[in-house]
């Protein structure tokens, strides 16, 4: 039995299969789980504590395909699984679940150790390059080409973001040649370009904008984002990134609206800003009367028309409804995740490719998207296990 791809989805498949078959896991990079380790640098948001019914809604139209896998390995089971590896978790104030150590490396180490003890053989620096004429798997290695005959194979090759960590999407051609329908990759959970002035880039790149409300297409959410030298990124932006990306693709422009002072209503802001400011500078007046200073004041100067600064009512309106014109999503290389990959209707209920019996798929290489903040890893683990279970029953049957 071969598993190709040593990220969370591939390792989860190995865990399900190692009791029923000899598992050989192949990974192109010199070590396992490089993107998983990177995710750990920002705390490793491993699952979510919200009600399961609400959790399922985060997967949009892919819910029907993912629900059975998620039901078999729901967030609570993920916490128990982490505990079984000696990793305690906690639920943060947002409901997100993190390992107490806030990193991925202890979990990955313990997981790989347990799989090795259960007999999984790992082959790193083995890049899968397709099949031989006889149907054996073919790999590029430091020693040249090698082949491997498997009774069944789980592919867990990832998407195409952060390609230097291993998942480069090069596999798409290998499956397309076999008639598998693959949707083009697009960035998901990504930042966006904004045409910042030189001043904005130099002074504010890397600065967080805290506790603002972003609204787009009838949805609003409060949170933080970060100014980058290219534009904007961060959790509040990622929450809207699918809708922003789609509208940019359709219309060539997207203009979400920022409320820089969500705790003050417009009428109150209008009256406080209309109060005489005496000798106070406008900057001081804005800071004292509206709580707008630093990066928020810079955003206002950057994005609001110059004339609003002469009229307190217009200024108040601009603070509450500041339009943020976006140019394009940041490139796929920088995205947290991707949408696109193997079309879901190519996959049966056991996560096997309908057109390639005995070939199972899991993880980010399949075409669905969800917000970052736990939903991704939960579903990659769950689909890895589901593909592992599917392959186990296939092996039993054959
Ligand atoms: C900065 C960042 C932060 C993130 N934070 C979070 C988070 O907090 N919570 C969350 O849920 N998600 C997070 N993610 C997303 C998550 O880490 C990934 O989406 C997840 O690792 C995908 O799992 P996977 O197993 O499907 O693919 P991958 O982890 O990409 O694994 C695929 C593996 O297949 C290997 N491979 C590819 N092609 C071949 C080949 N031809 N032959 C052999 N091997 C091959 C690759 O080298 C790779 O190791 C984050 C991602 C990034 C970039």
């Amino acid at each position: 039995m071969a598993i190709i791809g040593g990220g969370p989805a591939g390792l989860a498949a190995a865990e399900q299969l190692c009791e029923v078959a000899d598992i050989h896991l192949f990974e192109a990079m010199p070590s396992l789980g490089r993107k998983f380790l990177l995710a750990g640098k920002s705390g490793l948001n491993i699952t979510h504590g919200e009600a399961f019914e609400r959790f399922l809604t985060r997967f949009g139209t892919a819910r029907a395909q993912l629900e059975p896998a998620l039901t078999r390995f729901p967030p609570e089971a993920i916490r128990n699984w982490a505990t079984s590896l000696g990793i305690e978790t906690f639920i943060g104030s947002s409901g997100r679940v993190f390992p107490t150590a806030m990193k991925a490396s202890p979990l990955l180490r313990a997981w790989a150790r347990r799989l090795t003890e259960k007999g999984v053989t790992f082959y790193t620096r083995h890049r899968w390059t397709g099949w031989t004429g006889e149907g054996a798997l073919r790999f590029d290695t430091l020693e040249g080409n090698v082949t491997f005959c498997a009774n069944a194979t789980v592919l867990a090759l990832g998407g195409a973001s952060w390609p230097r960590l291993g998942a480069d999407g090069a596999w798409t051609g290998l499956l397309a040649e076999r008639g598998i329908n693959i949707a083009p990759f697009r960035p998901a959970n990504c930042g966006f370009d904004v045409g910042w002035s030189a001043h904005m880039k130099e002074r504010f790149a890397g600065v967080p904008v805290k506790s603002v409300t972003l609204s787009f297409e009838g949805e609003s959410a409060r949170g933080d984002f970060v100014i980058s030298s290219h534009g904007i990124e961060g959790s509040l932006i990622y929450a809207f990134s699918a809708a922003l990306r789609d509208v940019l693709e359709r219309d060539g422009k997207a203009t979400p609206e920022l409320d820089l002072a969500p705790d003050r209503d417009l009428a109150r802001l209008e009256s406080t800003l209309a109060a005489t400011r005496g000798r106070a500078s406008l900057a001081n007046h804005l800071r004292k009367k509206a709580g707008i200073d630093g990066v928020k004041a810079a955003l206002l100067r950057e994005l609001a028309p110059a004339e609003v600064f002469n009229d307190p009512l217009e200024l108040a309106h601009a603070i509450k409804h500041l339009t943020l014109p976006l140019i394009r999503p940041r490139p796929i290389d920088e995205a947290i995740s991707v949408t696109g990959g193997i079309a879901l209707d190519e996959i049966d209920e056991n996560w096997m490719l309908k057109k390639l019996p005995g070939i199972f798929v899991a993880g980010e290489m399949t075409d669905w998207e969800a917000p970052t903040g736990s939903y991704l890893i939960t579903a990659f683990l769950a689909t890895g296990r589901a593909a592992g279970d599917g392959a186990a029953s296939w092996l039993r049957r054959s």
Side-chain angles (χ1 to χ4, degrees):
M1 172 81 217
I3 296 175
I4 312 179
L11 296 177
E15 190 142 56
Q16 289 308 93
L17 273 162
C18 60
E19 308 286 349
V20 291
D22 284 341
I23 304 302
H24 299 261
L25 191 148
F26 300 90
E27 164 58 50
M29 300 298 282
S31 59
L32 303 172
R34 294 197 165 195
K35 199 186 272 187
F36 188 61
L37 289 173
L38 179 71
K41 293 226 157 105
S42 44
L44 191 67
N45 192 192
I46 198 165
T47 191
H48 206 290
E50 70 192 356
F52 190 52
E53 184 50 37
R54 180 149 180 71
F55 184 88
L56 290 172
T57 64
R58 312 295 188 173
F59 298 92
T61 52
R63 173 178 172 167
Q65 175 87 19
L66 292 170
E67 186 168 342
L70 291 165
T71 303
R72 290 211 299 273
F73 199 48
E76 197 46 46
I78 290 193
R79 296 191 71 189
N80 294 337
W81 163 79
T83 307
S84 76
L85 287 168
I87 305 297
E88 292 307 324
T89 57
F90 71 97
I91 304 188
S93 54
S94 60
R96 296 172 180 192
V97 176
F98 301 89
T100 309
M102 295 295 279
K103 48 187 181 177
S105 43
L107 193 153
L108 185 62
R109 265 198 310 274
W111 197 6
R113 198 182 316 122
R114 184 159 84 186
L115 291 173
T116 306
E117 282 162 11
K118 289 187 172 184
V120 177
T121 311
F122 291 101
Y123 304 80
T124 52
R125 299 182 202 268
H126 277 61
R127 170 168 294 279
W128 176 58
T129 55
W131 290 273
T132 64
E134 292 73 41
L137 298 164
R138 212 175 44 214
F139 296 91
D140 263 357
T141 73
L142 290 178
E143 286 78 41
N145 285 336
V146 297
T147 59
F148 183 85
C149 289
N151 293 327
T153 301
V154 176
L155 300 176
L157 302 166
S161 72
W162 288 76
R164 64 179 180 278
L165 301 180
D168 57 7
W171 55 265
T172 50
L174 300 174
L175 292 185
E177 274 170 17
R178 298 261 168 148
I180 306 298
N181 180 17
I182 308 217
F185 285 123
R186 298 185 295 151
N189 294 298
C190 57
F192 291 86
D193 284 344
V194 178
W196 294 137
S197 64
H199 169 76
M200 193 71 188
K201 283 187 215 176
E202 280 156 23
R203 285 287 311 278
F204 293 99
V207 175
V209 183
K210 297 211 170 211
S211 198
V212 291
T213 297
L214 192 117
S215 303
F216 187 63
E217 301 232 301
E219 300 286 329
S220 290
R222 186 162 171 170
D224 305 343
F225 70 93
V226 178
I227 305 289
S228 70
S229 55
H230 303 285
I232 50 171
E233 60 190 27
S235 57
L236 183 61
I237 306 306
Y238 301 153
F240 285 85
S241 62
L244 293 168
R245 176 201 63 211
D246 290 351
V247 169
L248 275 167
E249 276 176 11
R250 191 190 64 207
D251 302 342
K253 61 176 184 180
T255 45
E257 218 175 70
L258 280 173
D259 181 348
L260 297 177
D263 292 326
R264 298 166 201 244
D265 69 31
L266 181 63
R268 187 173 142 220
L269 210 50
E270 284 172 348
S271 64
T272 50
L273 286 175
T276 43
R277 65 176 154 106
R279 290 188 176 176
S281 66
L282 182 57
N284 266 337
H285 191 56
L286 269 171
R287 179 172 54 77
K288 284 191 186 146
K289 302 291 181 190
I292 300 292
D293 60 0
V295 66
K296 288 185 181 174
L299 276 169
L300 196 58
R301 285 277 176 201
E302 180 85 4
L303 299 170
E307 53 280 13
V308 306
F309 292 90
N310 301 325
D311 180 338
L313 301 190
E314 282 191 34
L315 188 55
H317 189 270
I319 290 170
K320 298 291 288 177
H321 302 277
L322 191 63
T323 51
L324 178 57
L326 305 185
I327 300 172
R328 66 183 83 79
R330 290 297 301 154
I332 212 162
D333 292 14
E334 296 174 17
I336 299 268
S337 60
V338 293
T339 181
I342 300 170
L344 292 183
D345 60 7
E346 295 280 0
I347 303 168
D348 76 7
E349 65 286 359
N350 291 315
W351 292 81
M352 186 172 81
L353 291 175
K354 293 173 191 167
K355 291 176 190 151
L356 297 179
I359 307 291
F360 297 77
V361 294
E364 197 173 349
M365 67 186 302
T366 56
D367 182 17
W368 53 270
E369 67 180 311
T372 184
S374 69
Y375 306 105
L376 298 172
I377 285 188
T378 301
F380 298 145
L381 292 172
T383 58
R385 287 172 83 101
D389 287 341
S393 19
W394 164 267
L395 286 176
R396 275 190 220 104
R397 278 202 308 276
S398 57

